[in-house]
């Protein structure tokens, strides 16, 4: 299987779905973790979002797991 070359905004990573290293679009997104109306501004956490350019599988990983 031929692996496509990454664009400048892509990172080559192991894809759990494809089971090979493929180009991924990677971004950081702030996600609100609280469902409560009050203090939602304090419940946002950064997540690393990846999307495989080959199969479209998406993953998200919380960056501040303590």
């Amino acid at each position: 299987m031929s692996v496509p070359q990454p664009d400048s905004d892509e990172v080559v990573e192991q894809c759990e779905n494809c089971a090979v290293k493929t180009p991924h679009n990677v971004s950081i997104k702030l996600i609100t973790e609280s469902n409560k109306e009050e203090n939602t501004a304090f419940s946002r956490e950064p997540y690393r979002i990846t999307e495989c350019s080959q199969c479209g599988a998406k993953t998200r990983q919380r960056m501040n797991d303590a």
Side-chain angles (χ1 to χ4, degrees), residues 15-46:
C15 178
E16 294 179 16
N17 194 50
C18 294
V20 294
K21 289 187 177 184
T22 59
H24 284 68
N25 290 316
V26 179
S27 61
I28 303 296
K29 182 177 181 181
L30 289 176
I31 297 177
T32 301
E33 295 183 329
S34 175
N35 293 332
K36 297 178 183 178
E37 292 278 332
E38 60 186 56
N39 297 327
T40 57
F42 302 107
S43 70
R44 295 178 297 189
E45 293 292 335

Side-chain angles (χ1 to χ4, degrees), residues 2 6 12 14 16 18 30 39 41 47 50:
S2 167
V12 176
Q14 183 73 23
E16 294 179 16
C18 294
L30 289 176
N39 297 327
Y47 278 79
T50 62

Side-chain angles (χ1 to χ4, degrees), residues 48-59:
R48 183 177 190 269
I49 311 295
T50 62
E51 181 177 359
C52 179
S53 297
Q54 186 166 323
C55 71
K58 293 182 182 180
T59 61

